[in-house]
């Protein structure tokens, strides 16, 4: 991940740069060549913390509340107002919101003044995600955004989804989460092999909790036949290839090593990734946002410096992949 990020570093907004750990992560990201930081927050505090860290690089520092940002705030506010004026937002309200770092930083990414953003170190997830959804919004043809964690385990990396947003997705939403997670795996160099988890194995239960997973798999097999995906399946069978082959030789997963787990609801996924992390069974990278229009990612509350550096690399790679797709799209249109 780090090597891919360093190959083409991007401008990443650190929306909470007046926190020492966040600034330290920005410093490491800059000095290691991972990203080009843009620091949001009180300039005097950031300058003082930079001295404390001996971070003497000339990187942009922006205080959305400062008079020097007024012209930019006004441009962003008008853009936000135009996008949200039929959703209860007034121009005065838009101007007020642009004094907040998460709104201002999201708008920087939205208009192309930055390539990505990380935030969430010091505020609860729900409070952070709201401005991102209001400013950035979901990508085209996406009905539900989601999140994933990459868990670094002794059997190799595992991607888990959805770990932070959708409480009880239906079959169609599970299928969409699976497709987005597969795209994430491809972007990060995996060949995704996906198991949709349940307490049931291939029709052994007729309870709605199991049948929705079964229906999601049917949708995926029908609409995305190139995906290596199957379920519903219990976790031990998903992860134990020998056990799976002995009992379910018909499964699409039978000769593959599963590296991506899709959970039936938020309870099971959130509990699992935090259990693995706290038992030191794995390190985690995430939550990685799926389904947004831009490369914006939300940290766990109180995330450590190493976690933030990892997430910065994720944001950079996300921005790189979006740039590749945009250029490919432009090239196709030019040929037409």
């Amino acid at each position: 991940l780090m090597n891919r990020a360093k190959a083409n570093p991007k401008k990443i907004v650190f929306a909470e740069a007046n926190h020492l750990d966040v600034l330290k992560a920005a410093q490491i990201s800059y000095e290691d060549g991972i990203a080009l930081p843009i620091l949001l927050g009180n300039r005097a505090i950031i300058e003082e913390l930079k001295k404390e860290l001996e971070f003497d690089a000339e990187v942009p520092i922006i205080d959305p509340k400062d008079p020097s940002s007024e012209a930019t705030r006004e441009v962003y506010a008008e853009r936000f107002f135009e996008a949200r004026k039929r959703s209860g937002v007034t121009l005065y309200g838009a101007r007020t919101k642009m004094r907040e770092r998460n709104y201002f930083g999201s708008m920087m990414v939205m208009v192309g003044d930055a390539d990505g953003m990380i935030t969430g170190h010091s505020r609860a997830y729900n409070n952070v995600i709201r401005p991102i959804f209001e400013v950035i919004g979901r990508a085209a043809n996406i009905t539900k955004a989601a999140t994933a964690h990459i868990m670094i385990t002794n059997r190799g990396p595992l991607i888990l989804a959805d770990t932070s947003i959708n409480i009880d997705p239906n079959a169609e939403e599970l299928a969409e989460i699976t497709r987005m997670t597969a795209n994430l795996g491809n972007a990060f160099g995996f060949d995704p092999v996906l198991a949709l988890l349940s307490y049931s194995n291939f029709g052994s239960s007729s309870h709605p909790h199991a049948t929705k997973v079964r229906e999601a798999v049917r949708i995926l097999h029908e609409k995305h036949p190139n995906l290596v995906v199957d379920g519903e399946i219990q976790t031990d069978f998903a992860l134990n290839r020998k056990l799976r082959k002995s009992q379910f030789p018909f499964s699409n997963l039978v000769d593959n090593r599963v590296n991506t787990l899709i959970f039936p609801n938020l309870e099971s996924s959130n509990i699992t990734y935090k259990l693995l992390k706290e038992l030191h069974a794995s390190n985690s990278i995430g939550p990685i946002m799926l389904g947004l229009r831009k490369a914006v990612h939300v940290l766990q509350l109180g995330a450590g410096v190493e976690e933030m550096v990892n997430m910065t690399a994720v944001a950079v790679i996300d921005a790189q992949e979006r740039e590749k797709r945009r250029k490919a799209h432009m090239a196709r249109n030019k040929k037409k």
Side-chain angles (χ1 to χ4, degrees), residues 1-39:
L1 292 179
M2 296 302 171
N3 288 338
R4 286 189 58 190
K6 291 175 186 179
N8 185 15
K10 297 296 181 183
K11 293 183 289 184
I12 302 298
V13 175
F14 289 78
E16 301 160 300
N18 56 330
H19 290 266
L20 183 65
D21 282 355
V22 176
L23 189 59
K24 180 65 176 175
Q27 179 184 19
I28 293 170
S29 299
Y30 177 83
E31 293 177 349
D32 288 356
I34 297 166
L36 308 171
I38 300 171
L39 309 177

Side-chain angles (χ1 to χ4, degrees), residues 149 151-153 160 163 235 263 266-284 300:
H149 274 75
M151 310 301 291
I152 311 303
T153 75
L160 277 55
T163 49
T235 306
F263 289 80
L266 186 59
E267 280 181 309
S268 56
S269 60
N270 195 271
I271 289 168
T272 299
Y273 97 77
K274 289 187 175 180
L275 182 66
L276 289 172
K277 183 181 174 185
E278 290 306 313
L279 291 177
H280 304 289
S282 70
N283 294 319
S284 70
Q300 296 177 85

Side-chain angles (χ1 to χ4, degrees), residues 104-290:
F104 189 94
S106 295
M107 190 57 74
M108 287 188 74
V109 179
M110 192 64 201
V111 304
D113 291 340
D115 301 306
M117 181 175 83
I118 64 167
T119 185
H121 168 76
S122 65
R123 299 186 67 188
Y125 194 87
N126 288 341
N127 294 331
V128 175
I129 204 74
R130 187 179 302 112
I132 292 170
F133 278 140
E134 289 181 9
V135 175
I136 302 295
R138 295 187 300 272
N141 302 318
I142 297 296
T143 59
K144 291 278 187 178
T147 61
H149 274 75
I150 300 176
M151 310 301 291
I152 311 303
T153 75
N154 59 10
R155 74 186 301 278
L158 280 173
I159 304 179
L160 277 55
D162 167 23
T163 49
S164 300
I165 294 181
N166 296 287
I167 294 174
D168 188 18
N170 61 31
E172 291 78 12
E173 291 163 352
L174 270 178
E176 184 172 64
I177 290 166
T178 304
R179 181 177 60 82
M180 291 191 296
T181 308
N183 290 341
L184 172 72
N186 286 321
F188 284 87
F190 291 84
D191 290 321
V193 178
L194 305 107
L196 273 70
L197 299 181
S198 175
Y199 65 87
S200 169
N201 282 314
F202 299 105
S204 64
S205 171
S206 58
H207 192 280
H209 288 177
T211 58
K212 77 167 184 179
V213 180
R214 199 176 314 148
E215 174 62 11
V217 171
R218 186 197 65 77
I219 293 169
L220 289 162
H221 286 173
E222 179 182 313
K223 295 185 176 180
H224 305 283
N226 293 330
L227 283 183
V228 182
V229 58
D230 217 342
E232 80 278 20
I233 190 170
Q234 295 174 359
T235 306
D236 50 353
F237 287 99
L239 296 177
N240 189 322
R241 185 159 35 181
K242 184 177 180 181
L243 186 63
R244 186 171 65 242
K245 190 167 187 175
S246 69
Q247 297 297 317
F248 309 115
F250 56 85
S251 171
N252 293 356
L253 306 174
V254 67
D255 290 320
N256 294 284
R257 183 184 179 88
V258 170
N259 56 26
T260 306
L261 303 176
I262 307 298
F263 289 80
N265 54 43
L266 186 59
E267 280 181 309
S268 56
S269 60
N270 195 271
I271 289 168
T272 299
Y273 97 77
K274 289 187 175 180
L275 182 66
L276 289 172
K277 183 181 174 185
E278 290 306 313
L279 291 177
H280 304 289
S282 70
N283 294 319
S284 70
I285 303 172
I288 301 170
M289 293 294 302
L290 308 173

